């Protein structure tokens, strides 16, 4: 049994973000308690290949948590849900190469950090729905649908809250629901080639030429 690099990098991401936050704002010191718990969640499965998807989600979650805690010590409690998100992601059914899902989780948490930096700890409760979004995204069957949905809906939510004010934090609930439903992105996939069908007929039995 060997320790996997993605597990070590995930733990490193947790501690770099946490220590930086405490250095920037000493009153957020108790963030380290949940950093320890999150480390345990990752370390207990250090032999598993977490993959780039989980690494991206965990790193994005803790980077956002560190920014929020450093900006306002009253928002340090978001680390509770960062820990829960870490556990949900590590023990999810997410494929190791589903990097779009990892980015979706990171964007959701990034919206939380953006709101706290601009408006203080008031909209920090958005982290609850960022956590729920992480659970929905990391346990989806596809590799892209919910990840793309999370980036779209949470990206829009973060921008609106940042520009319009903390009173719009309720949009995080809508972002979670739309992401869970993958509304508009349920069957999203990148094109893999060009289908040459200019002169095809309905009764043409020949295989369509695909240009890759």
């Amino acid at each position: 049994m060997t320790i996997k690099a993605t597990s070590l990098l995930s733990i490193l991401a947790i501690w770099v973000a946490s220590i930086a936050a405490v250095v920037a704002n000493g009153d957020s010191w108790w963030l380290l308690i949940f950093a320890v718990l999150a480390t345990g969640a990752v370390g207990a499965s250090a032999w598993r290949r977490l993959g780039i998807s989980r690494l991206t989600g965990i790193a994005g979650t803790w980077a956002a948590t560190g920014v929020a805690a450093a900006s306002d010590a009253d928002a340090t409690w978001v680390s509770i849900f960062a820990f829960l998100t870490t556990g949900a992601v590590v023990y999810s059914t997410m494929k190791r190469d589903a990097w779009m899902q990892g980015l979706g989780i990171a964007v959701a948490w990034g919206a939380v950090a953006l709101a706290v930096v601009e408006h203080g700890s008031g909209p920090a409760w958005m982290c609850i729905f960022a956590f729920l979004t992480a659970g929905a995204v990391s346990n989806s069957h596809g590799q892209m649908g919910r990840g793309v949905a999370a980036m779209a809906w949470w990206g829009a939510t973060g921008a609106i809250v940042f520009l319009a004010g903390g009173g719009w934090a309720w949009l995080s609930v809508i972002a979670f629901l739309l992401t869970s439903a993958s509304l508009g992105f349920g069957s999203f996939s990148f094109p893999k080639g060009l289908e040459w069908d200019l002169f095809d007929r309905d009764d043409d039995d020949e295989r369509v030429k695909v240009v890759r």
Side-chain angles (χ1 to χ4, degrees):
M1 183 174 66
T2 58
I3 297 176
K4 301 301 185 287
T6 48
S7 295
L8 287 179
L9 289 173
S10 295
I11 292 173
L12 180 63
I14 291 170
W15 283 100
V16 167
S18 299
I19 292 174
V22 174
V23 169
N25 189 339
D27 291 336
S28 64
W29 63 268
W30 57 279
L31 165 71
L32 299 178
I33 297 173
F34 294 96
V36 170
L37 294 175
T39 299
V42 176
S45 295
W47 53 271
R48 294 178 59 197
R49 292 184 176 89
L50 297 184
I52 189 65
S53 57
R54 290 182 177 84
L55 173 59
T56 302
I58 292 170
T61 295
W62 281 93
T65 299
V67 170
S71 175
D72 191 332
D74 290 337
T76 304
W77 67 271
V78 303
S79 60
I80 299 172
F81 287 91
F83 155 61
L84 294 175
T85 296
T86 302
V89 169
V90 169
Y91 298 102
S92 69
T93 60
M94 183 161 55
K95 294 182 178 180
R96 293 192 295 269
D97 60 347
W99 57 273
M100 292 289 281
Q101 292 183 352
L103 282 177
I105 294 169
V107 169
W109 273 91
V112 177
L114 197 64
V116 171
V117 167
E118 182 65 15
H119 305 294
S121 62
W125 62 268
M126 292 169 62
C127 70
I128 298 172
F129 292 94
F131 156 63
L132 294 175
T133 296
V137 170
S138 61
N139 288 289
S140 60
H141 296 296
Q143 292 193 40
M144 292 188 181
R146 284 187 183 171
V148 175
M151 286 189 285
W153 299 121
W154 275 95
T157 295
I160 292 172
V161 174
F162 180 82
L163 295 172
W168 289 84
W170 59 269
L171 286 175
S172 61
V173 180
I174 306 300
F176 159 63
L177 294 175
L178 292 177
T179 298
S180 298
S182 301
L183 190 61
F185 303 93
S187 59
F188 179 88
S189 62
F190 286 116
K192 297 180 179 179
L194 174 66
E195 186 175 292
W196 193 258
D197 62 343
L198 292 178
F199 305 105
D200 286 342
R201 298 171 298 179
D202 290 339
D203 58 348
D204 192 353
D205 293 331
E206 294 183 3
R207 296 183 64 182
V208 176
K209 181 179 180 181
V210 177
V211 181
R212 298 186 182 280

